[in-house]
């Protein structure tokens, strides 16, 4: 599962405010703020919603041994046109 550092980094990389992410996901800004601040751990469903929204914006989350270790730009898919 993603961690607070990954969510915060991905949001920052994409230039999204906490409110922008809240608008994309339906997760309250307060929940995002508490999570990123280390005050609370949201439900698994909420974490999946945050992860999915950021992935749809072009971020890939990196994991090692089930632990979140970073983010990167989602690799571009080959269009298959040979160009």
């Amino acid at each position: 599962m993603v961690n607070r550092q990954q969510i915060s980094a991905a949001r920052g990389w994409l230039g999204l405010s906490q409110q922008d992410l809240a608008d994309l996901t339906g997760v309250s800004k307060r929940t995002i703020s508490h999570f990123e601040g280390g005050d609370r751990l949201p439900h698994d469903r909420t974490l999946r919603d945050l992860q999915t929204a950021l992935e749809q914006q072009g971020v890939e989350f990196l994991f090692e041994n089930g632990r979140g270790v970073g983010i990167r730009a989602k690799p571009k898919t080959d269009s298959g046109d040979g160009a």
Side-chain angles (χ1 to χ4, degrees), residues 1-3 9 12 15 18 20 23 26 30 32 34-36 40 42 48 51 53 58-59 61-62 65 77 80 83:
M1 201 53 67
V2 294
N3 60 46
Q18 289 178 341
D20 293 333
D23 293 342
R30 182 178 175 152
I32 295 167
H34 284 290
F35 176 48
E36 288 185 0
R40 292 194 188 134
R48 279 192 303 273
Q51 180 177 346
V59 170
F61 292 91
L62 305 175
N65 299 318
T77 57

Side-chain angles (χ1 to χ4, degrees), residues 27-44:
V27 173
S28 76
K29 178 182 179 275
R30 182 178 175 152
T31 295
I32 295 167
S33 176
H34 284 290
F35 176 48
E36 288 185 0
D39 301 323
R40 292 194 188 134
L41 182 63
H43 295 286
D44 287 349

Side-chain angles (χ1 to χ4, degrees), residues 13-80:
W13 188 359
L14 294 168
L16 298 173
S17 68
Q18 289 178 341
Q19 186 61 56
D20 293 333
L21 184 55
D23 293 342
L24 284 171
T25 61
V27 173
S28 76
K29 178 182 179 275
R30 182 178 175 152
T31 295
I32 295 167
S33 176
H34 284 290
F35 176 48
E36 288 185 0
D39 301 323
R40 292 194 188 134
L41 182 63
H43 295 286
D44 287 349
R45 185 191 81 239
T46 301
L47 292 174
R48 279 192 303 273
D49 290 347
L50 295 172
Q51 180 177 346
T52 298
L54 292 165
E55 287 173 340
Q56 289 173 345
Q57 298 298 310
V59 170
E60 182 176 358
F61 292 91
L62 305 175
F63 300 91
E64 287 183 8
N65 299 318
R67 182 175 163 262
V69 295
I71 63 170
R72 69 178 180 186
K74 190 180 283 188
K76 302 279 186 206
T77 57
D78 185 6
S79 63

